[in-house]
């Protein structure tokens, strides 16, 4: 099994975010799950990759040429795929992965997990999408997703495609045992 993890190119301003990346890495490696991620050596991405490798895990990075050229690519990965652009990066990460986790991050992290979730809604894949809700980081976002559903912009079955958990062990358990909900196509 392979899980893609989307997370910040920054470590954030709270030590708990780096600790969460390390916990995620250890749990992934312990279960012999391969990590697929953005290929960088900075921020939570670098912490996640380094900790996975230190725990004996396999790490597959996918990085666009422009970011590699800026010397942001991690040089010690199990595999590093260099692609043309961000569109190819996301497509390859989706193809390589059996599920997706968002750790704390910024606009790029949100864009990646939301696009992946949207692809699931549209039926392009039936893979789980999850938010590791570290220290309540995604609380406001999950409230807004509930608001979208309450305002009839989001079907309940689409909401049910998301896994949100503050404990990495149970989050990964839910990813591994995920059964896609029935989708109501209107």
């Amino acid at each position: 099994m392979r899980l893609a993890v989307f997370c910040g190119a920054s470590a954030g301003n709270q030590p708990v975010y780096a600790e969460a990346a390390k916990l995620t890495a250890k749990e992934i490696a312990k279960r012999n799950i391969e990590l697929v991620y953005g290929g960088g050596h900075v921020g939570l991405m670098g912490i996640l990759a380094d900790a996975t490798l230190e725990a004996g895990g396999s790490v597959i990075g996918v990085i666009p040429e422009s970011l590699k050229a800026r010397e942001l690519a991690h040089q010690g990965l199990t595999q590093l795929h260099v692609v043309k652009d961000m569109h190819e990066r996301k497509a390859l990460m989706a193809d390589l992965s059996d599920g997706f986790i968002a750790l704390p991050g910024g606009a790029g992290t949100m864009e990646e997990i939301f696009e992946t979730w949207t692809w699931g809604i549209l039926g392009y894949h039936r893979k789980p999408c999850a938010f590791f809700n570290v220290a309540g980081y995604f609380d406001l976002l999950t409230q807004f997703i509930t608001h979208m559903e309450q305002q009839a912009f989001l079907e309940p079955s689409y909401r049910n495609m998301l896994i949100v958990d503050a404990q990495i062990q149970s989050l990964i358990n839910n990813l591994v045992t995920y059964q896609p909900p029935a989708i109501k196509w209107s």
Side-chain angles (χ1 to χ4, degrees):
M1 173 172 227
R2 291 179 176 160
L3 291 177
V5 177
F6 306 121
C7 57
S10 165
N13 63 5
Q14 303 292 324
V16 69
Y17 302 138
E19 288 305 313
K22 291 174 186 175
L23 284 173
T24 302
K26 289 176 186 171
E27 193 65 25
I28 285 173
K30 180 176 85 175
R31 294 174 187 240
N32 295 314
I33 296 170
E34 289 184 284
L35 169 66
V36 177
Y37 87 116
H41 69 83
V42 296
L44 292 184
M45 286 197 299
I47 293 167
L48 176 72
D50 288 342
T52 303
L53 292 166
E54 288 169 15
S58 176
V59 180
I60 302 167
V62 183
I63 194 164
E65 292 171 354
S66 63
L67 294 180
K68 182 177 186 276
R70 290 172 36 197
E71 299 180 358
L72 297 177
H74 195 298
Q75 298 304 311
L77 304 178
T78 309
Q79 293 178 41
L80 180 63
H81 298 273
V82 180
V83 295
K84 180 180 157 196
D85 56 31
M86 291 298 285
H87 297 291
E88 284 186 19
R89 176 198 220 178
K90 292 181 291 186
L92 182 56
M93 288 178 72
D95 288 343
L96 291 172
S97 302
D98 300 302
F100 311 92
I101 302 172
L103 294 179
T109 301
M110 295 302 101
E111 189 270 336
E112 289 169 324
I113 193 67
F114 268 77
E115 184 167 354
T116 303
W117 178 33
T118 301
W119 289 347
I121 289 170
L122 296 174
Y124 295 143
H125 68 74
R126 306 274 288 158
K127 302 172 186 180
C129 296
F131 291 91
F132 183 10
N133 195 18
V134 178
Y137 186 80
F138 292 112
D139 285 352
L140 294 175
L141 180 64
T142 57
Q143 289 174 22
F144 183 71
I145 291 169
T146 299
H147 177 71
M148 289 190 304
E149 182 182 348
Q150 291 169 343
Q151 299 302 308
F153 287 104
L154 182 68
E155 291 289 333
S157 58
Y158 303 157
R159 169 89 162 101
N160 294 336
M161 294 172 77
L162 295 177
I163 299 165
V164 180
D165 202 316
Q167 299 298 317
I168 193 61
Q169 295 86 358
S170 57
L171 185 140
I172 291 179
N173 283 342
N174 287 327
L175 285 166
V176 170
T177 61
Y178 177 78
Q179 295 296 316
I183 301 297
K184 176 185 170 191
W185 296 96
S186 27

